[in-house]
Amino acid sequence: MPKWIVPALTSLAYLQINLSVITEEVLGILGELSALLCLKLYTNTVHKDRLVLQGRGFPCLKEFVYVPFGEGA
């Protein structure tokens, strides 16, 4: 996940993205998108452990959807 996304997309409200791996760093970057209302994450990796977002993130998020690859991606 490129770090330029946050300063370049300050007004982004809806994001649907397919990521090969979802990490805490990726969630941290996405969590800085201050206008994000809806986040849909698609992935082809099964995450057995919890991913923890440290600090403040997703200040406006109203809807979060997590879809493992093969289940509607």
Side-chain angles (χ1 to χ4, degrees):
M1 174 73 56
K3 294 183 182 193
W4 59 261
I5 285 181
V6 174
L9 303 175
T10 57
S11 298
L12 185 69
Y14 298 90
L15 178 62
Q16 180 173 319
I17 188 168
N18 186 356
L19 299 168
S20 58
V21 177
I22 300 170
T23 64
E24 290 180 17
E25 180 183 9
V26 167
L27 290 177
I29 292 168
L30 294 174
E32 292 179 27
L33 293 168
S34 59
L36 194 62
L37 296 172
C38 176
L39 175 61
K40 295 182 180 182
L41 292 178
Y42 296 86
T43 184
N44 58 2
T45 303
V46 175
H47 296 279
K48 295 179 182 178
D49 296 324
R50 289 184 185 184
L51 293 172
V52 178
L53 181 61
Q54 299 293 328
R56 297 182 186 178
F58 302 104
C60 295
L61 195 67
K62 302 290 184 204
E63 180 181 3
F64 174 78
V65 177
Y66 170 76
V67 181
F69 186 73
E71 296 183 25

